[in-house]
Amino acid sequence: MNKFSILHISDLHRKPESFDNESLIFAIKKDIELLKENGISPPEFCIVTGDLIQGSLEDGEKSFIEIRKQYQITADLLTKIAEIILNKETKNVIILPGNHDRCLSLAKEAFSGLQLPDDDVEKKQLFYESQNPSALKRFCPVQLSYFIADISKYKNRFNLFSEFYNNFYNGNKIFNLDRDKQFTIHCFEERGLVIATLNSASGIDNFNTIPHIDKSAVTELCKLLDTPPYKNLLKIAAWHHNLKNHSSDTDSLNPEFTKYLKLVNVSLALHGHQHSAEINTLENIYWQSEALPIISAGSLCADDADLSYTAPRGYNIIELDCEVGIGKVSFRQMDKSHDYPMFSGYIFNETGKLFQEFKIHQITAKSINNNLKHKLNERLVYLLKIGDYKGVIDLIKINSDKEGLQIPLTSALVEINDPNLTLEMIQKPINLQQAILLAKSILEIGDKEKADIFIKSEFVKRNSHALNYFIIQLKGLTDGR
């Protein structure tokens, strides 16, 4: 059964003065054990939807020291989540940036004053340009001045996040500082799952707080998700900011980009930023198809000053049953009356239960196996093409289902021409080429027992006329002639 769970956390706002990592991990671990007793599978993946640190208001080196210390605390927390909660490697933890993950000091260095034009038309044009988050011109209402960014310096706002990100994944994943390349794909083919991330803080700086995802990044991501091996997998997309509910909402994201996500069959979207857990669906706004479930996580461990009275700290557990196409989410809330972290479940008004269900695309175990077989066969064909016959054998050895791999196996064994290896890899021949190869190997080694088994096998009996020469030779071996 292809069922698994995801730990969804967000808005950690890590800094030395906040919750210690050990107590957080202990509380989450005990809460997940309780969920397991109630039939919810323990999480295999953790998705962190931004604002990993609190950030710094200092300038220069003081800012860098403070931010790096905060990322060290974050790295320790996420590493422990991978090891203790997931029982997995750090690759099962999916990270993306939020607005607090930019460095204000580095952003400030990117801007310089801009001369105000005399022409009224040019003034109006400059004003409109400054309202575009993807542009590099900004208006400061406090100073009543315009500023322009140096693009080579501007992208360095996420330098320290990139440094943390690249180190966390040991260089196996790289956070690109170019805005049009700020997306990542995390593929778990064995689970039929692909998780894609986007940076909704790509245009946020000291003057602009409007969230924005670069259009080129969305387009390029969706083009890749529409190709193998991702095309036929269950797709989850994640970013930081909540989606805009009305036109005057300037601290949330325009939802128009989600129509591209639906075009490539994204089943679920996750975000944070609003510091409250919520599940919504976008239905028939930009498309004529099934709704896109969108789930927000509350802040896991932000300070009291960053929380509203009605929004407790918390995290989500999301269980996905791909065989039947159903997901369910449980909002886990931290009890505000406790000095130590402790979580309990939120009761949904709609169901009166600890979870709420939603629809996802069905991905059967059969389709996952077919995808894996297709990828394996592509790799075997490549190894045969470059003459790496040992590589073919090694790959087949570690695959539990060898039934569909007999043609590349036979081709590799013919080229290697090792009778002991042939006897190890072929127990019962399924075609004449394998039968002849096996008979030659038995004769070369002189194994009487295997010769007798070969002669009595059903395949050889059915093809005795074609294999008559080898049958005579092998009978001579068994008779001692």
Side-chain angles (χ1 to χ4, degrees), residues 32 123 136 152 189 212 214 223 268 290 355 366 369 393 414 438 440 443 462:
I32 286 172
K123 285 180 183 177
L136 294 173
S152 61
E189 255 189 295
H212 172 74
D214 189 271
K223 284 165 61 178
L268 176 64
E290 292 181 1
F355 59 84
K366 183 178 180 180
N369 289 335
I393 299 299
V414 168
L438 187 57
K440 286 181 176 179
L443 287 168
R462 290 196 306 271

Side-chain angles (χ1 to χ4, degrees), residues 52 127 142 170 190 235 295 299 347 363 370 418 429 446 452:
L52 279 66
F127 173 77
V142 177
N170 295 314
E190 71 282 0
K235 302 178 189 70
I295 297 175
S299 170
I347 304 295
I363 307 291
N370 287 340
D418 180 342
D452 187 56

Side-chain angles (χ1 to χ4, degrees), residues 3-58:
K3 181 191 287 188
F4 54 85
S5 292
I6 295 168
L7 171 66
H8 176 202
I9 61 176
S10 194
D11 296 82
L12 313 183
H13 293 274
R14 300 306 284 142
K15 59 181 183 179
E17 308 84 53
S18 54
F19 287 100
D20 69 277
N21 289 342
E22 295 296 335
S23 61
L24 274 172
I25 292 293
F26 177 76
I28 294 171
K29 181 175 183 292
K30 299 308 290 183
D31 191 47
I32 286 172
E33 288 174 1
L34 180 64
L35 285 170
K36 185 179 179 181
E37 291 175 8
N38 287 276
I40 302 294
S41 56
E44 293 182 38
F45 307 95
C46 175
I47 301 179
V48 193
T49 47
D51 277 3
L52 279 66
I53 61 168
Q54 180 63 25
S56 173
L57 298 176
E58 299 285 351

Side-chain angles (χ1 to χ4, degrees), residues 172-305:
N172 294 315
K173 290 281 183 184
I174 300 295
F175 181 81
N176 201 311
L177 293 176
D178 294 325
R179 287 195 285 177
D180 61 343
K181 296 180 178 65
Q182 284 179 352
F183 64 87
T184 59
I185 294 176
H186 302 256
C187 186
F188 303 93
E189 255 189 295
E190 71 282 0
R191 300 308 264 131
L193 174 67
V194 58
I195 303 169
T197 73
L198 290 157
N199 182 12
S200 62
S202 70
I204 290 179
D205 50 55
N206 303 45
F207 302 114
N208 174 60
T209 60
I210 301 172
H212 172 74
I213 297 176
D214 189 271
K215 182 180 178 182
S216 297
V218 174
T219 304
E220 190 59 31
L221 170 65
C222 290
K223 284 165 61 178
L224 288 171
L225 291 179
D226 203 35
T227 60
Y230 317 121
K231 187 178 178 69
N232 297 318
L233 303 180
L234 181 77
K235 302 178 189 70
I236 297 175
W239 56 84
H240 178 61
H241 288 82
N242 46 291
L243 299 184
K244 186 178 290 188
N245 292 319
H246 47 79
S247 59
S248 62
D249 188 356
T250 59
D251 191 33
S252 52
L253 199 57
N254 188 322
E256 189 173 0
F257 75 98
T258 60
K259 63 185 178 184
Y260 266 29
L261 300 181
K262 286 299 294 180
L263 282 177
V264 294
N265 294 321
V266 168
S267 281
L268 176 64
L270 306 178
H271 70 82
H273 186 63
Q274 63 187 30
H275 289 195
S276 61
E278 188 177 29
I279 177 169
N280 288 304
T281 54
L282 286 180
E283 299 182 71
N284 301 320
I285 297 177
Y286 298 109
W287 52 81
Q288 297 295 320
S289 64
E290 292 181 1
L292 174 65
I294 299 177
I295 297 175
S296 169
S299 170
L300 178 66
C301 46
D303 282 348
D304 289 339

